[in-house]
Amino acid sequence: MTKVILLYASWCHNCPKAEKIWRDLKEEHDFEYEEIDVESDEGQKIAQEYSVMAVPTTVIDGEVAFIGIPSKDEALESIK
């Protein structure tokens, strides 16, 4: 099963848009989804592991797939 991790931050103005896209897709499609705050200990570890320099960043199956907000079509295509 595809695993999607969205890295976000509370101060990020674009992160809610990315969260909405992934949450909407999660309602319609079967994949694992997790949102992780880069300011948390876990988030800092993951951000370092993937060399994340900006949020929102989407990691799909262990690889950075999007930096910024993907379109819904791009996001859907990435989980097929």
Side-chain angles (χ1 to χ4, degrees):
M1 179 177 293
T2 301
K3 181 173 183 175
V4 175
I5 299 172
L6 178 66
L7 297 167
Y8 73 94
S10 60
W11 44 263
C12 169
H13 297 292
N14 290 318
C15 290
K17 294 174 190 169
E19 291 168 355
K20 180 171 179 12
I21 288 168
W22 287 113
R23 288 175 186 170
D24 289 350
L25 285 175
K26 179 63 181 149
E27 290 180 13
E28 302 164 9
H29 302 278
D30 189 26
F31 62 95
E32 291 181 46
Y33 176 62
E34 186 175 5
E35 294 175 357
I36 300 176
D37 186 342
V38 295
E39 296 173 306
S40 70
D41 289 341
E42 179 185 15
Q44 287 180 7
K45 180 181 172 189
I46 292 172
Q48 185 175 9
E49 179 181 343
Y50 293 106
S51 301
V52 172
M53 302 298 286
V55 288
T57 293
T58 304
V59 176
I60 300 176
D61 290 337
E63 294 187 22
V64 174
F66 301 104
I67 298 169
I69 306 167
S71 71
K72 189 169 183 178
D73 290 341
E74 290 172 324
L76 178 58
E77 189 63 33
S78 71
I79 59 171
K80 286 186 176 181

